[in-house]
């Protein structure tokens, strides 16, 4: 089992940047497929970025995912943020890359709020 704790969310103006972190504890971090998802008010949770899975069209070119296996940490660098990026961002871990999708994720973090003002 793995525990995931996100941090780094907050309020930022449009065009600004934030970096989210996801600290993992428990079983070996490097053995999991990792990714970021988000859920905006009134909308379903959606894929944002995954290690070895790329990015959603809406964030391609603006967001960058990275992981540091030595620190058991996953990151999401978010640049050129827009109001439509406002959402709760969740870190996710899966036993395989094929399971890194809604409905198959094995572990979720508690989420961190990102709010982008216009």
């Amino acid at each position: 089992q793995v525990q995931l704790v996100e941090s780094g969310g907050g309020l930022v103006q449009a065009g600004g940047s934030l970096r989210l972190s996801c600290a993992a504890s428990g079983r070996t971090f490097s053995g999991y497929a990792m990714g970021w998802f988000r859920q905006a008010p009134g909308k379903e949770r959606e894929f944002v970025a995954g290690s070895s899975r790329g990015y959603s069209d809406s964030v391609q070119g603006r967001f960058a995912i990275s992981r540091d296996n030595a620190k058991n940490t996953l990151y999401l660098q978010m640049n050129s943020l827009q109001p439509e990026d406002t959402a709760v961002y969740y870190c996710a871990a899966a036993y395989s890359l094929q399971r890194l999708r809604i409905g198959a994720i094995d572990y979720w973090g508690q989420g961190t709020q990102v709010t982008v003002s216009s």
Side-chain angles (χ1 to χ4, degrees):
Q1 190 164 350
V2 64
Q3 293 79 43
L4 306 172
V5 179
E6 301 97 332
S7 62
L11 173 64
V12 65
Q13 288 188 333
S17 298
L18 283 174
R19 187 175 82 153
L20 305 183
S21 299
C22 172
S25 61
R27 294 186 62 180
T28 305
F29 175 74
S30 61
Y32 291 91
M34 301 293 297
W36 291 95
F37 293 75
R38 68 186 181 186
Q39 187 165 17
K43 295 187 177 181
E44 295 185 350
R45 196 169 297 189
E46 64 176 4
F47 170 79
V48 174
S51 54
S52 302
R53 252 203 71 182
Y55 303 88
S56 67
D57 290 343
S58 60
V59 307
Q60 178 74 47
R62 299 187 298 122
F63 290 12
I65 188 172
S66 61
R67 65 191 292 171
D68 185 336
N69 288 336
K71 294 183 178 180
N72 287 356
T73 303
L74 182 74
Y75 302 98
L76 184 68
Q77 177 67 42
M78 305 186 296
N79 300 323
S80 302
L81 283 161
Q82 299 301 317
E84 52 266 34
D85 295 315
T86 294
V88 177
Y89 283 71
Y90 296 91
C91 177
Y95 291 124
S96 69
L97 193 57
Q98 290 72 27
R99 293 183 61 83
L100 196 64
R101 55 182 175 83
I102 297 294
I105 295 294
D106 294 289
Y107 301 101
W108 291 102
Q110 84 288 351
T112 185
Q113 177 71 47
V114 172
T115 303
V116 184
S117 63
S118 57

